[in-house]
Amino acid sequence: MSLHLPCPHCGADVVFRSPALPSRVCDSCRTMLVRSDAGIAQFGIAAVLPFDVSPVQIGMRGTDDGASFEVIGRVRWSWTDGAWNEWLLLFEDGGTAWLGEAMGQFMLLRERPFAEVRSRTVKDVMKGEAPKLGHDVQIDGRKLTVSDARWALCVTAEGELPFTAPSGWRVYSVDLRGAAGECANLQRDGARVSFYQGRYVTLAELAPRGMRVIEGWALPDYAA
């Protein structure tokens, strides 16, 4: 059941669709909000989202393995040579996943408790060691290859999120890729470590509805 609260900054109605997600960017004034048992608090103003040509948008719906989801949040990240999006998906059972979007490729990832990950190499990386691109890593007995490792800066955010994402937030991000389309991502923010695992997908296999309409670009047949 959705929770409606007034934004303490502008008074607009703010909708929290998931009781498990504490953070929300107000759609009207872009104030970053966090709710708790004590009420709702302000944590600054989210920067305006820069223009991009992503076909994904808040409110887009789709399915993964027969389970329906809705896009409810986004974090925009940047690095020295570009930027990418991480879209938060809310499923009907209340679960969440991330749809990473970079250079036309999409990764569907779910968070796993880092303590469950059986990989000495991964744990060493997240303690501060720098991984080598192309290095093979064993995760739960499966081989993945380090495809990317870099420091990233949060540009801004929108919608609902499991955490606050202020502009300028800096994390160390490592992408890993398997031969059969498996993928994983690790993020280190000081002592805090997050691990996400999943697979590469195409938008077509997610059966998207409500994709963003971009001038001069016709929706593909599967989304029209």
Side-chain angles (χ1 to χ4, degrees):
M1 179 180 294
S2 298
L3 175 66
H4 292 253
L5 294 171
C7 173
H9 183 74
C10 71
D13 182 43
V14 177
V15 181
F16 289 86
R17 295 172 180 81
S18 170
L21 300 175
S23 298
R24 181 77 160 88
V25 176
C26 176
D27 297 331
S28 297
C29 67
R30 299 199 53 77
T31 299
M32 293 184 290
L33 307 171
V34 176
R35 63 187 174 91
S36 65
D37 293 339
I40 189 167
Q42 304 178 53
F43 281 83
I45 303 294
V48 175
L49 282 157
F51 174 78
D52 68 1
V53 291
S54 172
V56 183
Q57 64 178 347
I58 299 289
M60 188 187 86
R61 296 177 180 271
T63 58
D64 174 49
D65 199 21
S68 299
F69 67 78
E70 180 181 355
V71 178
I72 64 168
R74 166 165 62 153
V75 181
R76 178 79 171 171
W77 297 95
S78 71
W79 62 295
T80 52
D81 292 329
W84 74 92
N85 292 310
E86 293 179 358
W87 300 93
L88 185 64
L89 315 181
L90 177 65
F91 287 82
E92 289 183 325
D93 65 358
T96 58
W98 288 95
L99 184 65
E101 176 193 14
M103 296 183 292
Q105 292 189 318
F106 295 88
M107 296 186 296
L108 185 63
L109 301 163
R110 289 177 170 81
E111 186 170 8
R112 281 185 60 190
F114 185 65
E116 294 181 359
V117 181
R118 300 194 307 275
S119 172
R120 179 177 177 179
T121 303
V122 169
K123 292 181 184 297
D124 287 345
V125 168
M126 301 320 291
K127 288 178 183 177
E129 293 189 14
K132 295 181 180 179
L133 294 183
H135 179 67
D136 291 336
V137 175
Q138 293 288 328
I139 299 179
D140 298 336
R142 294 187 176 184
K143 185 175 75 173
L144 283 82
T145 301
V146 177
S147 58
D148 192 55
R150 65 184 60 165
W151 286 99
L153 285 177
C154 175
V155 177
T156 189
E158 64 174 329
E160 294 176 68
L161 297 169
F163 45 70
T164 56
S167 299
W169 177 28
R170 189 168 181 256
V171 302
Y172 188 65
S173 178
V174 179
D175 286 334
L176 304 106
R177 185 167 191 164
E182 314 98 313
C183 59
N185 173 262
L186 302 99
Q187 290 188 356
R188 184 180 72 230
D189 171 18
R192 185 173 62 180
V193 175
S194 300
F195 179 79
Y196 306 87
Q197 195 167 10
R199 71 189 195 282
Y200 280 88
V201 298
T202 64
L203 282 182
E205 67 186 271
L206 298 178
R209 305 180 304 281
M211 292 174 65
R212 178 182 173 194
V213 177
I214 301 173
E215 186 177 355
W217 179 71
L219 287 174
D221 291 341
Y222 61 78

